[in-house]
Amino acid sequence: MVTVTVAVSKAFSKNIWAGPRSLRPGDLAGDEELPGSTNYSGNEPGIAEVGGELPGSNINRIPIAISKSLTIRLYASHFLSTWNSRWFEAAVVYFLASVFPDNLLPISIYALTRNAVAVALTAPAGTWIDRASRLTVVRASIIGQRVAVAASCGLFWAMLALPPPGPEMLRRGLFAATVVLACVEKLAAGVNLVSVERDWVVVITEGDEDARRTMNARMRRIDLFCKLLGPLSVALIAAASVPAAVLLTLGMNLASVLVEYYCIETVFRRVPTLRRSATPSTPLPPEEAGTHQEQSRQPSPHTTFRQRLQRMAAQVLMIPTLRLYFGHPAVIPSFSLSLLYLTVLSFSGQMLTYLLASHISMWQVGILRGVSTIFELSATWIAPRLMKRIGVIRTGLWSIGWQMAWLAGGASWFFSYYGRGYPSASLMPAAGLAAAVAFSRIGLWGFDLSAQNIVQDEVQGDRRGVFSTTETSLQNVFDMLSWAMTIIWSDPNSFQWPVLVSCVAVYVAGGLYASFLRRRRGHLIHAPSCLGPKVDA
C-alpha cells in the first residue's frame, strides 16, 4: 500500500501540482528538485543535516538540499489529510440530509457547533503546536482525524439503519454524538494543516526563499484539487447510494492512516532541523510568562477563587494569544486574509443555492464552478512568478487589487439590473456576478499565498502555532458570520445585501493591506520615471 501511494503521489506531483520550473534555465516541470536546492547524495535520500533549529530564529541559513523522495512523502501526507478532510466535510451534508430529510436545522447545528468549538480551543491548540514535539503533534492530529471519522461513519450507518418513524430520542442522541466527533475532527484537521503548512514547510526550506514559495504553491494546489474533486466524487457516489458513501468514507480513512503516518514520520526523520531545541529563543509575553511561573511553583493554599477564575477567563477569551497576534508586525496581512472569509461571493453552498434559485441549471452551475476552480489553480502558478519578479508584498497588493477590480465590476453589473427593477434572483444579474466572482478567485488565492509567505517569514518559530491558529480562529468567526448573513437574509431575492457586505469586507481588507504596504515601503506604487525630478547634467 505504501509503494502504491508513493507512486500515485509521484504521478500527481508531475501532472497536477508540479510548480513552474522556469526559475532556472534547463529545469523541467516536476518535483525532481525545488528551485534553489542542490542534489544530495547520501546513503539515504533526504536532506543534509544542518544542526538543530532555534525556535523563533528567522536568520537566513545556507539552503539545504531537498530531495525528490522527501517532497513526495510530504505531499502524499498532506494530500491524504486534505483529501479525507474535504471528502468527509462534503459527505456529512448528504448523510444528514438522508437521516433528517427536509430539515436544515441539523446541518446548521452541526456546522456552527464544530466551528465554535474550533474557535474556543484555538489558544491551547496553538500553544501545543509551538511547544510539543512536531512529530507528536502531527501523529496525534492524524489519529484524531481518523478515529473521529471512523466513529462518525459507524453512527451515521446506525442512524440510516433506523426505521423512518424510529425512536426519535435515540436518533437525536446519535446525532449529538456525531456533533462531538465533528468537533474532534475539525480541531485535528486544523492542527495538521497549521503544523505542516505554517511550520514544517518553513523549517524544511529554511534559507531558500524560492523553494519555500514553490512548496507553498504546490501545497495550495493540493488543497484546491481536493476542494474540487472531493465534493464532486462524494456527490456522485451518494447520489447512487448513501450507505455506500458511508462505507467508502470509512474504508478510505482506515486504508490511508498507516500510509500518512509512515510518510510524515519519514519526513521528520530525514529533516534534523524539525527536532526542537530544549529552550525557546524568544521571551514569553509577560502575561504568559507569569502564568507559567505560577504553574511551575507548588500550588499555594492562598490562591483565591477569584484569581483562578480570572486565569480561566483569560484562557477561554484567548486574551494572551490575541495580544500576541494583534501586537505582531505581520498581523495586518493575516487579518486581511481572514476578513476575506466574510463573503458569500464564492462557489460554496450560499452562492450555489442563489444561482440555482436564479434559474441557472445544475449543469451550468457545475461549469461555472469548474471554471472558477481552474482560475484558482492558475493562481498557484501565477503568484510564485510574480513574487520572484516584484516581491512578496507587492504581489499581495496586485492580487487583492485584481480581486477588488473584478468584484467591483460584478457588483456594478448586479446592482445595475437590480436598480432597473430586476429581482435579485434572476438570470442576468446572477450570470454577470458569477462570472466576475470566477475571475476574482485568481486574486484571492494569489493574496492567500502572499500573506502566507509573509507570516512564514516574520513569525518566530516558537510563535507560529499560536499565531496561525489564532488566524484560523478568526477565519472561522468570519465564516460563521457569512452564514449568519444568509440566515438573516434567507430569501434569494434579498441576496443583494450579503453581496454588499461581502464587497465591503474585501475593500476593507484591501485598504488594510495597502496601509501595511505603505508603512513598509513608504509608497504604494512606483512613480513613472518621466514624472521623477529632473537632474541637471
Side-chain angles (χ1 to χ4, degrees), residues 136-313:
T136 300
V137 170
V138 177
R139 276 175 171 174
S141 69
I142 293 171
I143 298 301
Q145 277 184 278
R146 300 299 169 261
V147 170
V149 172
S152 296
C153 289
L155 293 175
F156 282 121
W157 181 269
M159 285 190 284
L160 289 169
L162 291 174
E168 191 61 28
M169 290 303 296
L170 177 59
R171 184 178 281 107
R172 291 181 180 179
L174 294 174
F175 170 70
T178 62
V179 172
V180 173
L181 292 170
C183 297
V184 175
E185 191 276 336
K186 174 78 171 179
L187 185 63
V191 167
N192 188 289
L193 186 70
V194 169
S195 297
V196 175
E197 286 195 353
R198 295 298 180 89
D199 188 26
W200 286 52
V201 169
V202 178
V203 177
I204 292 171
T205 60
E206 193 71 53
D208 192 340
E209 295 299 324
D210 287 341
R212 180 178 304 171
R213 292 167 191 169
T214 302
M215 189 171 286
N216 281 336
R218 291 174 182 173
M219 300 285 269
R220 183 62 67 226
R221 214 166 292 147
I222 293 171
D223 294 340
L224 294 175
F225 174 80
C226 295
K227 183 181 179 180
L228 170 67
L229 198 58
L232 178 62
S233 302
V234 73
L236 295 175
I237 296 170
S241 172
V242 173
V246 173
L247 291 177
L248 184 58
T249 304
L250 175 63
M252 282 196 307
N253 272 270
L254 295 179
S256 64
V257 61
L258 292 178
V259 181
E260 184 180 355
Y261 200 93
Y262 165 77
C263 288
I264 204 67
E265 183 175 4
T266 303
V267 173
F268 180 81
R269 296 193 184 284
R270 294 185 182 182
V271 185
T273 50
L274 287 171
R275 295 168 178 81
R276 295 191 189 277
S277 311
T279 57
S281 62
T282 55
L284 292 172
E287 62 273 7
E288 289 192 39
T291 301
H292 287 283
Q293 288 174 1
E294 291 178 11
Q295 290 177 350
S296 63
R297 298 170 186 163
Q298 292 295 330
S300 171
H302 302 290
T303 302
T304 63
F305 175 75
R306 181 180 177 181
Q307 290 173 327
R308 292 179 180 177
L309 192 61
Q310 288 175 342
R311 286 199 298 270
M312 290 175 60

Side-chain angles (χ1 to χ4, degrees), residues 51 54 70 82 100 140 170 212 249 270 280 282 367-368 408 452 474 488 516 525:
L54 292 177
L70 179 77
T82 307
F100 301 99
L170 177 59
R212 180 178 304 171
T249 304
R270 294 185 182 182
T282 55
I367 291 175
L368 286 170
Q452 181 175 337
L474 290 173
I488 296 171
F516 165 79
I525 57 174

